[in-house]
Structures are given as structure tokens and as C-alpha cells.
Amino acid sequence: MRVLGVDPGLTRCGVGVVDGVAGRPLTMIAVGVVRTPADAELGHRLVAIEQGIEEWLDTHRPEVVAVERVFSQHNVSTVMGTAQASAVAMLCAARRGIPVALHTPSEVKAAVTGSGRADKAQVGAMVTRLLRLAEPPRPADAADALALAICHIWRAPAQNRLQQAVALHASKGRTR
Amino acid sequence: MRVLGVDPGLTRCGVGVVDGVAGRPLTMIAVGVVRTPADAELGHRLVAIEQGIEEWLDTHRPEVVAVERVFSQHNVSTVMGTAQASAVAMLCAARRGIPVALHTPSEVKAAVTGSGRADKAQVGAMVTRLLRLAEPPRPADAADALALAICHIWRAPAQNRLQQAVALHASKGRTR
């Protein structure tokens, strides 16, 4: 499974592509950041993010796009821009028929470090280890994007089993 | 000046087109709502909003798109969806080179009713009067979209004068 992880943001949108299946060593394919100038108009920044995400989708052809689920509770000053950048990433994927998966920051931290309350350094260290990199990806948004992709690869089997169980239960209900 | 007003929302995105200049009677060209099903996946809802906004831009060719400025402070339960829908509207406009203007809810209310704290009924009543309609547009999101367009037509001359003054001041600074 090839997953593009997106850590959404207007100024820096982290993007990382990971190949792998649960239980096997993972492979980093690419990592980077889509940047937009803070002094540009909001509409133009969203267009720049769209162009950046489109390039990543064209180049790496992911099967799934995993985006951080944005909450309105935390970090009020930047949350609107984060929500808007995430909307563009989801739009680009859905327009191509690529499934979009959302994972919360604590799900991502728990997946790669074992603790939903791990700090950025810990996430960066585990991403480095799990992908067998020489050093932590910089900036932190890039590492977070890779962590999102890893989180999705590891959580997907459980999510699929759950969906299959729900579907089975629903079909049994219909034939009863 | 032809303005498309957008009152962003995932379930109902109000859209309204108004022709006019400050100080002259205004003309409503069209009003409506772009709807997406609440049980659809978020990515698919954003694609549906994009298609709806694109149709309105194709049909009515506005010179400006006026979008409600979303704040994270109020209405926490729906604000993320509102931010995401507004991102799609801004993206569609900016991609075509159409200027995007943001107005706060209180700016819009103050423009059409004289009070930044007017309720929805008051806004609907004034939109009906200013556009000489037989009855208030329904749902309220559609009326709010028209109010946004009216607000922009009336505020634009002042905003342009301010921008010209700033530009003039900057150019004087350079030649000093």
C-alpha cells in the first residue's frame, strides 16, 4: 500500500509518501513541504497548495491520502488556515477517486511512539527509526506527514476488519 | 459590478449574485444553495461544493467573489466545515483570477441593517427590501449570500480609496 500523508498548513504543508503493509518494514518514497508565502492573499495560497498537492499525486500515485483530522479546540490562532489547507488536500484526492483517511494527532502519535501524548522530537525520532533514515526529516511538518502515512498503514488492517464486520452484520440483518 | 456572495457551509452553501454600484439601486441576478448530503464522505462533499461553485461561476461570471470570513471563536461544532467549504469557494475563484473579498458577519449585518448585531430575520427583511423582492429568500443561507454581495458592493468604494491612499503613500515613500 502506498500512502501520501499530509500534515495540513497554509505556511508549511508537510507531505510524505510511504510504501508498506502492516507487519513488514516500511519504505519512505519521498518527503517534502508545500510552502506558501504568508503575505500572499488567502485565495492564492490555496491555489498554490492545490498545485503542490496535485504534483505530489501526479508524481507518486498514492492509493490512499491520509490527512490530519483538524479540531477547532486546540491552537485557535492557526486552526482556520489548517482547516482550509486540509480541505484543499482532501478535495484534490477525492476528485481523483483516491480514498481519504483522517487520523487525529493523538492516533498518529500513539501509532508511531506508543503514546498519544508524545512530543514532536519523539515522533521525529520514531519516524527516523521506522523508515531507517540517516537523520530526522526536517521541518517537523515533513516528519508529521510521514508519521500520518505510517499510522494509516498500521491502522488500515484493523479499520478494514471493522468495516467488513459491520458489512457482514448488515447483510445478516437483511437476510434474517 | 457583479458580485457572487458565498455563505459557506458543508450542508448548505448559500450563493447569490447581485449587480450594482454604491449609491444606485441593486439588482438580484440569481440566488440559491449548493447542498451536500450529511452522510457523504468529507472529501466527496468538498468535490460537490467545488462543482456547484464552478457552475455558478460559469453561469454568472462575477467580477468579485465575496465570502464570509470564518472565525474559530463562534459556533465550534460547525466551524471546521464552514472553514473547509469557504476554502473551496476561495480556491475556485482564485484559480480563475477572480478577486476574493472577505467580510465578517458583523460587517455584513452592519452594511445591510445598520447594526452589526442584527438577527437573521432583520437581515432577510433588508435584503428583500434592497433587492425589491416579493418575499425574503429562503433558506436563510441564501439571504446571507445576497447580503454578502450587497455588503461588498457598498464597501468596495471605501476599500478602493484606502488601497489607493496606501499605494500613493508607498510610492511617495519610495521617491523620497
Coordinates of all heavy atoms in Angstrom, one line a residue, chain B residues 33-75:
Chain B
V33 N -28.8 27.6 -3.3 CA -28.0 26.9 -2.3 C -27.3 25.7 -2.9 O -28.0 25.0 -3.7 CB -28.9 26.5 -1.1 CG1 -28.1 25.7 -0.1 CG2 -29.6 27.7 -0.5
V34 N -26.0 25.5 -2.6 CA -25.3 24.3 -3.0 C -25.4 23.4 -1.8 O -24.9 23.7 -0.7 CB -23.9 24.6 -3.4 CG1 -23.1 23.3 -3.7 CG2 -23.8 25.5 -4.6
R35 N -26.0 22.2 -2.0 CA -26.2 21.3 -0.8 C -25.3 20.1 -1.0 O -25.1 19.6 -2.2 CB -27.7 20.8 -0.8 CG -28.7 21.9 -0.4 CD -30.1 21.4 -0.5 NE -31.1 22.5 -0.6 CZ -31.6 23.0 0.5 NH1 -31.3 22.6 1.7 NH2 -32.4 24.0 0.5
T36 N -24.9 19.5 0.1 CA -24.2 18.2 0.0 C -24.8 17.3 1.1 O -25.2 17.8 2.2 CB -22.7 18.3 0.2 OG1 -22.3 18.5 1.5 CG2 -22.1 19.4 -0.7
P37 N -24.9 16.0 0.9 CA -25.5 15.1 1.9 C -24.6 15.0 3.1 O -23.4 14.7 3.0 CB -25.7 13.8 1.1 CG -24.8 13.9 -0.1 CD -24.5 15.3 -0.4
A38 N -25.3 15.1 4.3 CA -24.5 15.0 5.5 C -23.8 13.6 5.7 O -22.9 13.5 6.5 CB -25.4 15.3 6.7
D39 N -24.4 12.6 5.1 CA -23.8 11.2 5.3 C -22.7 10.9 4.3 O -22.2 9.8 4.3 CB -24.9 10.2 5.3 CG -25.7 10.2 4.0 OD1 -25.5 11.1 3.2 OD2 -26.5 9.3 3.8
A40 N -22.4 11.8 3.4 CA -21.3 11.5 2.4 C -20.0 11.8 3.1 O -19.9 12.5 4.1 CB -21.5 12.4 1.2
E41 N -18.9 11.2 2.5 CA -17.6 11.4 3.0 C -17.2 12.8 2.7 O -17.5 13.5 1.7 CB -16.6 10.5 2.3 CG -16.7 9.1 2.8 CD -15.6 8.1 2.1 OE1 -14.7 8.7 1.6 OE2 -15.9 6.9 2.1
L42 N -16.4 13.4 3.7 CA -16.0 14.8 3.6 C -15.4 15.2 2.3 O -15.7 16.2 1.7 CB -15.0 15.1 4.8 CG -14.6 16.5 5.0 CD1 -15.7 17.5 5.0 CD2 -13.8 16.6 6.3
G43 N -14.5 14.3 1.8 CA -13.8 14.6 0.5 C -14.8 14.7 -0.6 O -14.7 15.6 -1.5
H44 N -15.8 13.8 -0.6 CA -16.8 13.9 -1.7 C -17.7 15.1 -1.5 O -18.2 15.7 -2.5 CB -17.7 12.6 -1.6 CG -16.9 11.4 -2.0 ND1 -17.3 10.1 -1.5 CD2 -15.8 11.2 -2.7 CE1 -16.4 9.2 -2.0 NE2 -15.5 9.9 -2.7
R45 N -18.0 15.6 -0.3 CA -18.8 16.8 -0.1 C -18.0 18.0 -0.6 O -18.6 18.9 -1.2 CB -19.1 17.0 1.4 CG -19.8 15.8 2.0 CD -20.2 16.0 3.5 NE -21.3 17.0 3.6 CZ -21.8 17.3 4.8 NH1 -21.3 16.9 5.9 NH2 -22.9 18.1 4.8
L46 N -16.7 18.0 -0.4 CA -15.9 19.1 -0.9 C -15.9 19.2 -2.4 O -16.0 20.2 -3.1 CB -14.5 19.1 -0.3 CG -14.4 19.2 1.2 CD1 -13.0 19.0 1.7 CD2 -14.9 20.6 1.7
V47 N -15.9 18.0 -3.1 CA -15.9 17.9 -4.5 C -17.3 18.4 -5.0 O -17.3 19.1 -6.0 CB -15.6 16.5 -5.0 CG1 -15.9 16.3 -6.5 CG2 -14.2 16.0 -4.7
A48 N -18.3 18.1 -4.3 CA -19.7 18.5 -4.7 C -19.8 20.0 -4.6 O -20.4 20.7 -5.5 CB -20.7 17.8 -3.9
I49 N -19.2 20.6 -3.5 CA -19.2 22.1 -3.4 C -18.4 22.7 -4.5 O -18.9 23.7 -5.1 CB -18.7 22.5 -2.0 CG1 -19.7 22.0 -0.9 CG2 -18.5 24.0 -1.9 CD1 -19.2 22.2 0.5
E50 N -17.3 22.1 -4.8 CA -16.5 22.7 -5.9 C -17.3 22.7 -7.2 O -17.3 23.7 -7.9 CB -15.2 21.8 -6.1 CG -14.3 22.3 -7.3 CD -13.1 21.4 -7.5 OE1 -13.3 20.2 -7.5 OE2 -12.0 22.0 -7.7
Q51 N -18.0 21.6 -7.5 CA -18.8 21.5 -8.8 C -19.9 22.6 -8.8 O -20.1 23.2 -9.8 CB -19.3 20.1 -8.9 CG -18.3 19.1 -9.3 CD -18.8 17.6 -9.2 OE1 -19.8 17.4 -8.7 NE2 -18.0 16.7 -9.8
G52 N -20.5 22.7 -7.6 CA -21.6 23.7 -7.5 C -21.1 25.1 -7.7 O -21.7 25.9 -8.5
I53 N -20.0 25.5 -7.0 CA -19.5 26.8 -7.2 C -19.0 27.1 -8.6 O -19.2 28.2 -9.2 CB -18.3 27.0 -6.2 CG1 -18.7 26.9 -4.7 CG2 -17.6 28.4 -6.4 CD1 -19.6 28.1 -4.2
E54 N -18.4 26.1 -9.2 CA -17.9 26.2 -10.6 C -19.1 26.5 -11.5 O -19.0 27.3 -12.4 CB -17.2 24.9 -11.1 CG -15.8 24.7 -10.4 CD -14.8 25.7 -11.0 OE1 -14.9 26.1 -12.1 OE2 -13.8 25.9 -10.3
E55 N -20.2 25.8 -11.3 CA -21.4 26.1 -12.1 C -21.9 27.6 -12.0 O -22.2 28.2 -13.0 CB -22.5 25.2 -11.7 CG -22.4 23.8 -12.3 CD -23.5 22.8 -11.8 OE1 -24.5 23.3 -11.4 OE2 -23.2 21.6 -11.8
W56 N -21.9 28.0 -10.7 CA -22.3 29.4 -10.5 C -21.3 30.4 -11.2 O -21.8 31.4 -11.7 CB -22.5 29.7 -9.0 CG -23.8 29.2 -8.5 CD1 -24.1 27.9 -8.3 CD2 -25.0 30.0 -8.3 NE1 -25.5 27.9 -7.9 CE2 -26.0 29.1 -7.9 CE3 -25.3 31.4 -8.4 CZ2 -27.3 29.6 -7.6 CZ3 -26.5 31.8 -8.1 CH2 -27.6 30.9 -7.8
L57 N -20.0 30.1 -11.1 CA -19.0 31.0 -11.8 C -19.2 31.0 -13.3 O -19.1 32.0 -14.0 CB -17.6 30.6 -11.4 CG -17.3 30.8 -9.9 CD1 -15.9 30.2 -9.6 CD2 -17.3 32.2 -9.5
D58 N -19.4 29.7 -13.8 CA -19.6 29.6 -15.3 C -20.9 30.4 -15.7 O -20.8 31.1 -16.8 CB -19.8 28.1 -15.6 CG -18.5 27.4 -15.7 OD1 -17.4 28.0 -15.8 OD2 -18.5 26.1 -15.6
T59 N -21.9 30.2 -15.0 CA -23.2 30.8 -15.4 C -23.2 32.3 -15.3 O -23.7 33.0 -16.2 CB -24.4 30.2 -14.6 OG1 -24.3 28.8 -14.7 CG2 -25.7 30.7 -15.1
H60 N -22.7 32.8 -14.2 CA -22.9 34.2 -13.9 C -21.7 35.1 -14.0 O -21.8 36.4 -14.0 CB -23.5 34.4 -12.5 CG -24.8 33.7 -12.4 ND1 -25.9 34.2 -13.0 CD2 -25.2 32.6 -11.7 CE1 -27.0 33.4 -12.7 NE2 -26.5 32.4 -12.0
R61 N -20.5 34.6 -14.2 CA -19.3 35.3 -14.5 C -19.1 36.6 -13.6 O -19.0 37.7 -14.1 CB -19.2 35.8 -16.0 CG -19.4 34.7 -17.0 CD -18.1 34.1 -17.4 NE -18.3 32.8 -18.0 CZ -17.3 31.9 -18.1 NH1 -16.1 32.3 -17.7 NH2 -17.5 30.7 -18.6
P62 N -19.1 36.4 -12.3 CA -18.9 37.5 -11.4 C -17.5 38.2 -11.5 O -16.6 37.5 -11.9 CB -19.1 36.9 -10.0 CG -18.7 35.5 -10.1 CD -19.1 35.1 -11.5
E63 N -17.5 39.5 -11.2 CA -16.2 40.2 -11.2 C -15.4 40.0 -9.9 O -14.2 40.1 -9.8 CB -16.3 41.6 -11.5 CG -16.8 41.9 -12.9 CD -17.6 43.2 -13.0 OE1 -17.0 44.3 -12.9 OE2 -18.9 43.1 -13.1
V64 N -16.2 39.7 -8.8 CA -15.7 39.6 -7.5 C -16.5 38.4 -6.8 O -17.7 38.3 -7.0 CB -15.8 40.8 -6.6 CG1 -15.3 40.6 -5.2 CG2 -15.1 42.0 -7.3
V65 N -15.8 37.7 -6.0 CA -16.5 36.7 -5.1 C -16.3 37.1 -3.7 O -15.2 37.3 -3.2 CB -15.9 35.2 -5.3 CG1 -16.6 34.3 -4.3 CG2 -16.2 34.8 -6.7
A66 N -17.4 37.4 -3.0 CA -17.4 37.8 -1.6 C -17.7 36.7 -0.7 O -18.8 36.1 -0.8 CB -18.3 39.0 -1.4
V67 N -16.8 36.3 0.2 CA -17.0 35.1 1.1 C -17.1 35.5 2.5 O -16.3 36.5 2.9 CB -15.9 34.1 0.9 CG1 -16.1 32.8 1.7 CG2 -15.8 33.7 -0.6
E68 N -17.9 34.9 3.3 CA -17.9 35.3 4.7 C -16.6 34.8 5.4 O -16.1 33.7 5.2 CB -19.1 34.6 5.4 CG -19.3 35.0 6.9 CD -20.4 34.3 7.6 OE1 -21.5 34.5 7.2 OE2 -20.1 33.6 8.6
R69 N -16.0 35.8 6.2 CA -14.8 35.5 6.9 C -15.2 34.6 8.1 O -16.0 35.0 8.9 CB -14.1 36.8 7.4 CG -12.7 36.5 7.9 CD -12.2 37.8 8.5 NE -11.9 38.8 7.5 CZ -10.7 38.9 6.8 NH1 -9.8 38.0 7.0 NH2 -10.5 39.8 5.9
V70 N -14.5 33.4 8.2 CA -14.9 32.5 9.2 C -14.0 32.7 10.4 O -12.8 32.8 10.3 CB -14.8 31.0 8.7 CG1 -15.2 30.1 9.8 CG2 -15.5 30.9 7.4
F71 N -14.6 32.7 11.6 CA -13.8 32.8 12.8 C -13.9 31.5 13.6 O -14.9 30.8 13.6 CB -14.3 34.0 13.7 CG -14.0 35.3 13.2 CD1 -15.0 36.1 12.6 CD2 -12.8 35.8 13.2 CE1 -14.8 37.3 12.1 CE2 -12.5 37.1 12.7 CZ -13.5 37.8 12.1
S72 N -12.8 31.2 14.3 CA -12.8 30.0 15.1 C -13.5 30.1 16.4 O -13.8 29.1 17.1 CB -11.4 29.5 15.3 OG -10.6 30.5 15.9
Q73 N -13.8 31.4 16.8 CA -14.4 31.6 18.1 C -15.8 31.1 18.3 O -16.2 30.4 19.3 CB -14.4 33.1 18.5 CG -13.0 33.6 18.9 CD -12.1 33.9 17.7 OE1 -12.5 33.6 16.6 NE2 -10.9 34.3 18.0
H74 N -16.7 31.4 17.3 CA -18.1 31.1 17.5 C -18.5 29.8 16.8 O -18.0 29.4 15.7 CB -18.9 32.3 16.9 CG -18.9 32.4 15.5 ND1 -17.8 32.6 14.7 CD2 -20.0 32.4 14.6 CE1 -18.2 32.7 13.4 NE2 -19.5 32.6 13.3
N75 N -19.5 29.2 17.4 CA -20.2 28.0 16.8 C -19.2 26.9 16.5 O -19.0 26.5 15.3 CB -20.9 28.5 15.5 CG -22.1 27.6 15.2 OD1 -22.4 26.6 15.9 ND2 -22.9 28.0 14.2

